[in-house]
Amino acid sequence: SLAQNVRASDNNHTPSVGARLRLMDLAGLPVETGASWYWGTWDGSGLEPMAMAGAHLRARLLGVDLLLEGLHLAVRGDQGFARTIGSPNWTTLGGFGVASYEGLSLGGKPVVPYLQAETYRTRPNDGGAARETVRSLSAGASVGLAENLRVKAEYLHLTYELPDATTSGSLRLDVDGAVLSVVVTY
């Protein structure tokens, strides 16, 4: 159904607008907040709008780095996703947060534990019961072995639910996983 919505077309005749505001070092503290907004036509006909708004807050204090972000997405005329959620007009609300701490060491090597969570829910705007949901929770730590080399271990739990309005059924995935990786930066 996504392939029916994505194709080459010239939508330059329908301009989009957007804005972003970011405030940094609030009250002299290492705190940043901001918001962004976008509106434009997104479909091949150039008639149906999409609006997206986001907000974030980031703070760093005493070795703790906290980032919170929220999202609001509203779409009209999405015939491809209508088969899944039961309406061509839908809204997604959600956000994520991640916290890490940079004050630990193991054998002289920096250790950074972190916790991350996210949730998103898409619903039809006509009041229908179908909901697409994504929820995840992960925890892990990275160890700096050298300036450009880290080892990272992570546990992840993911739940994804996708309705199918045409069959009144749904797909649900529950995934647990662990990852051990090597990160090289240059």
Side-chain angles (χ1 to χ4, degrees):
S1 57
L2 289 177
Q4 294 176 3
N5 289 336
V6 179
R7 62 182 176 271
S9 65
D10 179 6
N11 282 347
N12 288 332
H13 65 283
T14 56
S16 301
V17 295
R20 181 175 179 193
L21 172 69
R22 186 170 85 169
L23 304 172
M24 298 178 62
D25 300 324
L26 299 176
L29 297 173
V31 175
E32 173 186 319
T33 189
S36 61
W37 175 77
Y38 170 87
W39 183 91
T41 55
W42 67 275
D43 71 324
S45 69
L47 299 175
E48 298 294 348
M50 176 186 79
M52 182 170 50
H56 77 276
L57 171 69
R58 183 170 192 179
R60 296 179 198 156
L61 192 59
L62 302 173
V64 175
D65 190 343
L66 176 68
L67 174 63
L68 303 171
E69 290 195 10
L71 171 73
H72 177 268
L73 178 64
V75 172
R76 285 193 350 211
D78 185 351
Q79 298 303 322
F81 201 49
R83 294 183 193 130
T84 299
I85 205 155
S87 174
N89 306 324
W90 50 267
T91 301
T92 297
L93 292 174
F96 79 91
V98 60
S100 62
Y101 179 69
E102 296 184 12
L104 302 175
S105 65
L106 181 64
K109 305 292 184 187
V111 177
V112 180
Y114 63 92
L115 180 64
Q116 178 176 311
E118 70 181 303
T119 183
Y120 298 94
R121 175 168 282 186
T122 301
R123 63 172 179 74
N125 292 345
D126 65 2
R131 303 285 189 268
E132 177 195 35
T133 59
V134 177
R135 291 183 204 95
S136 73
L137 181 63
S138 59
S142 68
V143 178
L145 301 179
E147 182 179 346
N148 299 338
L149 180 65
R150 298 187 79 79
V151 173
K152 180 178 173 183
E154 178 178 273
Y155 165 78
L156 168 73
H157 176 76
L158 172 72
T159 301
Y160 178 66
E161 297 174 78
L162 181 66
D164 185 346
T166 59
T167 64
S168 298
S170 65
L171 167 71
R172 179 183 169 117
L173 300 172
D174 283 294
V175 178
D176 288 290
V179 176
L180 181 61
S181 58
V182 175
V183 179
V184 178
T185 58
Y186 56 92

